[in-house]
């Protein structure tokens, strides 16, 4: 299950969610709040639709492009045979978006 | 599996004509070592190929507790103190530099994970996410949404800022039922 999660499917699902919310727009401070909330909710709904026995954590950061740098790292203590994560980086002309998805298996 | 080994050891000892309890002790000491293998952490970076398949490990099965909830909950405030402590000590005097901060995020995430592991909260899986960024005139928004059991799972978060950089640390604790 972990191999399936860290494959391309989750990447594509999340990428489509991001593009659906901030696909053709420029950075706007008034809307960022809504955007992060929508990206995270849509991603979570799409992941849940897959019907797999996982608990999900979806993390999203949207940053304006101004030449500044950003680094993200994550460290996880879990069962590597059943749990997995996936990070999606997306950008357009005016902003960066980094989405991290972590899936933790539920015992069945 | 350990029972089979115990029987084999007992049979061997009987053949040699002595029934010492040393045999069973030897077999029993194997179990704690086996349990210690449960917690293996791997570090993988997005700019390097994944190391997941280097060590072939058998799949570990955790037994049912038959309990309604966790005996010891995830200590949110203690973990927040750990985050404050680690971020302040590593980043107080630092200036933003790409190479330094890249290494710093990885180091800090490992350090925080090690300290949370030291707290030995049973049956909790831990996820630590660290972001370090440069402070300029840009604006940034971070959001996080989780699908879990709100009665047993929780998170802890802390932000740190100095004159040239900011750091955001999130620790998620997920209970394994």
């Amino acid at each position: 299950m972990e191999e399936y999660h860290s494959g391309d499917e989750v990447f594509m699902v999340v990428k489509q969610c991001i593009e659906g919310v901030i696909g053709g727009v420029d950075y706007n401070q008034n809307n960022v709040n809504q955007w992060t909330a929508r990206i995270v909710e849509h991603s979570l709904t799409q992941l849940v639709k897959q019907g797999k026995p996982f608990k999900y954590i979806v993390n999203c950061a949207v940053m304006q492009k101004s030449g500044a740098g950003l680094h993200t790292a994550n460290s996880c203590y879990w069962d590597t045979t059943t749990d997995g994560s996936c990070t999606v980086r997306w950008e357009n002309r005016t902003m960066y978006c980094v989405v991290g998805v972590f899936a933790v298996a539920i015992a069945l | 599996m350990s029972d089979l080994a115990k029987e084999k050891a007992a049979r061997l000892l009987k053949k040699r004509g002595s029934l010492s309890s040393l045999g069973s002790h030897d077999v029993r000491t194997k179990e704690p070592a086996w349990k210690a293998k449960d917690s293996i952490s791997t570090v993988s970076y997005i700019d390097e190929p994944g190391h997941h398949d280097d060590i072939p490990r058998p799949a570990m099965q955790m037994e049912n507790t038959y309990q309604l909830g966790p005996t010891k909950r995830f200590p949110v405030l203690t973990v927040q103190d750990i985050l404050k402590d680690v971020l302040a000590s590593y980043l107080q005097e630092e200036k933003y530099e790409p190479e330094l901060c890249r290494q710093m995020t990885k180091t800090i995430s490992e350090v925080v994970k090690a300290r949370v592991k030291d707290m030995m909260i049973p049956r909790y899986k831990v996820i630590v996410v660290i972001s370090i960024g440069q402070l300029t005139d840009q604006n940034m928004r971070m959001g996080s949404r989780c699908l879990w059991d709100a009665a047993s799972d929780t998170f802890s978060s802390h932000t740190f800022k100095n004159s040239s950089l900011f750091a955001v640390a999130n620790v998620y604790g997920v209970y394994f039922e």
Side-chain angles (χ1 to χ4, degrees), chain A residues 40-41 60 71 73 75 77 80, chain B residues 57 126 128 130 132 143 145 147:
Chain A
V40 171
E41 272 173 44
C60 168
H71 297 272
S75 176
Y77 174 61
T80 50
Chain B
R57 262 170 268 112
V126 176
V128 179
I130 309 285
I132 300 184
R145 197 74 101 230
L147 179 74

Side-chain angles (χ1 to χ4, degrees), chain A residues 36-83:
Chain A
T36 46
R38 258 194 260 161
I39 290 173
V40 171
E41 272 173 44
H42 286 190
S43 308
L44 204 48
T45 339
Q46 293 302 320
L47 287 169
V48 168
K49 270 193 198 161
Q50 292 181 355
K52 300 210 187 98
F54 282 112
K55 289 182 179 175
Y56 292 103
I57 294 165
V58 181
N59 209 351
C60 168
V62 174
M63 189 168 95
Q64 189 180 17
K65 263 191 186 178
S66 69
L70 175 70
H71 297 272
T72 311
N74 64 65
S75 176
C76 309
Y77 174 61
W78 57 24
D79 185 348
T80 50
T81 51
T82 56
D83 309 325

Side-chain angles (χ1 to χ4, degrees), chain B residues 123-164:
Chain B
R123 298 186 77 94
Y124 265 91
K125 296 180 180 177
V126 176
I127 296 166
V128 179
V129 184
I130 309 285
S131 302
I132 300 184
Q134 188 179 13
L135 262 186
T136 59
D137 292 328
Q138 92 280 14
N139 211 324
M140 176 169 169
R141 173 70 61 170
M142 277 187 86
S144 176
R145 197 74 101 230
C146 310
L147 179 74
W148 57 25
D149 180 358
S152 49
D153 306 325
T154 183
F155 75 99
S156 180
S157 177
H158 185 249
T159 47
F160 170 84
K161 199 167 75 162
N162 75 9
S163 53
S164 66

Side-chain angles (χ1 to χ4, degrees), chain B residues 102-119:
Chain B
R102 171 184 299 179
Q103 205 44 55
M104 200 57 89
T105 43
K106 295 175 194 168
T107 315
I108 294 181
S109 69
E110 284 296 306
V111 167
V112 171
K113 185 181 73 173
R115 282 182 68 167
V116 176
K117 267 170 86 171
D118 284 341
M119 297 179 73

